[in-house]
Amino acid sequence: LIFTSRYAPGIDWVHNLRDLPCWCVGETTAHAADAAGFTIAGVGEGGVQNLVPILPGDHRYLLPGAVKIHPATKPALIGHDVRFLPAYKAQAVTKLSDDVITALKNDAASHVAFFSTRGVQIWHQLVEQAGLRRTLVRMTALCLSTDMLSSVYKEYWQDVQAAEKPSMASLSQIIK
């Protein structure tokens, strides 16, 4: 099994595959897989491109994941025998919650953590939609990887930073 998301191990029918070893893109996904009872065979350092070097070439893999596969996933796995299994549909938030709006208006948050380029794009759209763009100038955008930096509107933010490695531990170090 290949897990590229922390959500896949929690899907009911995916539990039936727990007798198969799994390779996870990063530590967060590995924690979710372990908690769901899967045997972890390997953990990458974030992103499927960083998982590929540790995948044994002589295996056939199942990849239960989102219905809409990330554009980088299939090209990164070329040369490996992978069958993609749609397991869930990721749906974007369409508006900021009242709690988030209140936090932004009251300067109750100093950082926003982003885990995907799509998340950055959605956040910018929702903040604009709510008329709260000006609140970001007092905040820091934290990106899980340097690849995401180009999608952040740097002029909106007080500061923009990226984790040294695409992991929660590395992202957490930025805040300290």
Side-chain angles (χ1 to χ4, degrees), residues 46-70:
V48 72
Q49 70 280 3
N50 294 320
L51 178 63
V52 169
I54 67 170
L55 291 176
D58 60 343
H59 285 57
R60 287 188 287 163
Y61 297 96
L62 299 174
L63 195 161
V67 170
K68 185 177 179 185
I69 298 168
H70 188 282

Side-chain angles (χ1 to χ4, degrees), residues 24 72 117 122 153 174:
C24 302
T117 300
I122 292 167
Y153 300 158
I174 297 173

Side-chain angles (χ1 to χ4, degrees), residues 21-117:
C22 68
W23 284 262
C24 302
V25 292
E27 61 186 47
T28 302
T29 303
H31 288 301
D34 184 56
F38 289 90
T39 301
I40 312 298
V43 180
E45 293 186 8
V48 72
Q49 70 280 3
N50 294 320
L51 178 63
V52 169
I54 67 170
L55 291 176
D58 60 343
H59 285 57
R60 287 188 287 163
Y61 297 96
L62 299 174
L63 195 161
V67 170
K68 185 177 179 185
I69 298 168
H70 188 282
T73 300
K74 283 186 178 181
L77 292 168
I78 288 175
H80 290 279
D81 186 358
V82 180
R83 181 170 176 210
F84 294 89
L85 303 172
Y88 62 89
K89 184 175 181 178
Q91 294 190 323
V93 174
T94 58
K95 70 177 196 161
L96 297 176
S97 71
D98 292 341
D99 290 342
V100 171
I101 290 171
T102 300
L104 290 172
K105 286 181 178 178
N106 295 330
D107 292 331
S110 59
H111 297 78
V112 177
F114 294 109
F115 299 90
S116 71
T117 300

Side-chain angles (χ1 to χ4, degrees), residues 9-25:
I11 303 295
D12 286 339
W13 65 263
V14 175
H15 282 223
N16 295 330
L17 305 173
R18 278 184 286 190
D19 59 328
L20 299 173
C22 68
W23 284 262
C24 302
V25 292

